[in-house]
Amino acid sequence: TGWYNRLYINFTLRRHIFFFLLQTYFPATLMVMLSWVSFWIDRRAVPARVPLGITTVLTMSTIITGVNASMPRVSYIKAVDIYLWVSFVFVFLSVLEYAAVNYLTTVQERKERKLRDKVRFSIS
């Protein structure tokens, strides 16, 4: 029952995902793949494996810190946080894998040495 003017506004919001891919996701993925390189390095090559593990862990923590500093503070977990923390866990687990392999190899070598000594003394 009358003439009512209305104002229609249409907002189109676009997110440039290429920036986040290039600055966050791609380097994090490369760090995870770089940490996997330690699986192909000989277990006795301590000078090669330890710096590789430490470097990847420190780089992932730097990436996480940089992303958190550049993002707005919100009270919920963002998808990028989940991705980066899962990537950090993978990198950290590759370091723990080396520690476990080194420890288990040392234990096995001690057992073999004791067995060889026992056999040598029983023969003499």
Side-chain angles (χ1 to χ4, degrees):
T1 63
W3 180 258
Y4 299 100
N5 290 330
R6 294 185 192 150
L7 176 64
Y8 289 101
I9 297 176
N10 187 13
F11 289 104
T12 302
L13 302 176
R14 292 189 184 148
R15 185 176 295 181
H16 297 285
I17 194 69
F18 185 72
F19 173 77
F20 291 104
L21 288 175
L22 193 62
Q23 295 292 322
T24 304
Y25 291 102
F26 188 64
T29 304
L30 286 178
M31 282 302 110
V32 171
M33 290 191 305
L34 183 62
S35 72
W36 292 345
V37 170
S38 69
F39 297 147
W40 289 287
I41 297 175
D42 186 27
R43 61 182 161 79
R44 292 176 296 262
V46 176
R49 291 187 81 168
V50 171
L52 181 64
I54 290 171
T55 302
T56 53
V57 166
L58 290 176
T59 304
M60 280 305 301
S61 65
T62 303
I63 291 172
I64 291 170
T65 303
V67 167
N68 285 335
S70 68
M71 293 285 204
R73 292 192 178 266
V74 291
S75 61
Y76 50 87
I77 297 176
K78 300 176 290 293
V80 70
D81 293 334
I82 294 170
Y83 183 82
L84 290 176
W85 280 104
V86 168
S87 299
F88 182 81
V89 167
F90 279 132
V91 169
F92 190 73
L93 287 177
S94 72
V95 175
L96 288 183
E97 179 269 343
Y98 173 63
V101 165
N102 193 22
Y103 174 74
L104 293 174
T105 302
T106 304
V107 169
Q108 182 181 3
E109 287 173 353
R110 283 182 191 160
K111 286 181 182 179
E112 289 173 357
R113 191 177 315 121
K114 284 182 182 179
L115 184 63
R116 272 187 272 131
D117 290 344
K118 193 182 267 188
V119 168
R120 191 176 346 158
F121 285 130
S122 66
I123 292 175
S124 340

